Amino acid sequence: MSITALIAATALLAGPAPATTPPPLSCLGQTVDRAAKISYRNEIFIKAPVRSVWKLQTDLKNWPRWQKPVATIERLGHGPLRPGSAFRWTTPVPATPVTPATTLVITSTIHQLKHNRCLRWTGPAIGDGLRIDRGVHVWTFEPVPGGTIVRTEETWTGAQVESMPALSRQFLGQGLDTWLTDLKTTAEKAR
């Protein structure tokens, strides 16, 4: 599928824009980068209790088992996941008309965490020929009858990704949508 067709299909699947923009997701009062030019937000309902979804999402060492896009991951410290915890993970990125195929090395640091409720981390993503100077990622987990609503929002800043906003947003959206789908599939199988 061509990039143009992929962008058009993504726009159709996204549906019409909401009449008003919802406030950014937050964790303990901290949000994504509101000034960022690249952002994406989505949510999914998962038929599993919030504690199960949370455990799956925060068990970093097992991300490659259920997320196909995560090639490797390592904790850069010990102990329970908490503010200040850092981790480095890699994900392959296909070639685009303006960037080569590469593997992004993402170094994330958790800044906010509320057990079973929310996570917020930041960090750069660097690959050969591709650089995201700063990503800010917020996850929220809302228990609802029959399961959990998981919401995610991420922003990117940096000269390179900001020079190609439509393509950057497209890849960010694809990545987050795949993550949500993989989280749903894995959590619902484990119930």
Side-chain angles (χ1 to χ4, degrees):
M1 177 180 285
S2 73
I3 293 291
T4 305
L6 194 51
I7 291 170
T10 302
L12 285 173
L13 289 173
T20 60
T21 303
L25 294 180
S26 68
C27 183
L28 300 175
Q30 298 299 308
T31 67
V32 293
D33 182 346
R34 294 178 188 211
K37 294 179 181 175
I38 313 301
S39 67
Y40 187 82
R41 177 179 177 161
N42 205 353
E43 65 182 53
I44 200 163
F45 172 76
I46 300 175
K47 293 179 190 174
V50 71
R51 69 184 174 282
S52 299
V53 178
W54 174 265
K55 182 178 179 186
L56 184 62
Q57 178 72 353
T58 59
D59 183 9
L60 304 180
K61 72 177 185 231
N62 284 312
W63 279 6
R65 291 184 184 167
W66 60 270
Q67 289 190 72
K68 293 175 195 156
V70 176
T72 65
I73 190 160
E74 76 175 299
R75 284 281 306 271
L76 302 177
H78 302 287
L81 208 56
R82 62 186 178 280
S85 294
F87 52 101
R88 183 172 299 121
W89 49 297
T90 61
T91 187
V93 178
T96 74
V98 293
T99 59
T102 189
T103 296
L104 279 179
V105 178
I106 305 161
T107 304
S108 300
T109 302
I110 294 177
H111 296 280
Q112 283 76 33
L113 178 150
K114 185 171 183 183
H115 189 74
N116 288 338
R117 290 296 181 180
C118 65
L119 283 165
R120 179 180 172 272
W121 64 70
T122 67
I126 302 167
D128 292 334
L130 180 59
R131 180 181 180 94
I132 301 163
D133 291 343
R134 183 169 186 253
V136 181
H137 202 158
V138 176
W139 291 88
T140 65
F141 304 81
E142 179 184 351
V144 295
T148 305
I149 295 175
V150 177
R151 294 179 179 91
T152 187
E153 185 172 15
E154 185 170 359
T155 55
W156 289 351
T157 56
Q160 185 178 22
V161 292
E162 291 170 7
S163 73
M164 46 184 178
L167 186 62
S168 295
R169 185 176 187 281
Q170 172 197 336
F171 274 93
L172 174 57
Q174 287 173 347
L176 294 181
D177 290 348
T178 298
W179 196 330
L180 285 169
T181 300
D182 288 350
L183 183 63
K184 176 181 176 70
T185 300
T186 306
E188 289 182 353
K189 280 184 187 175
R191 321 186 287 138

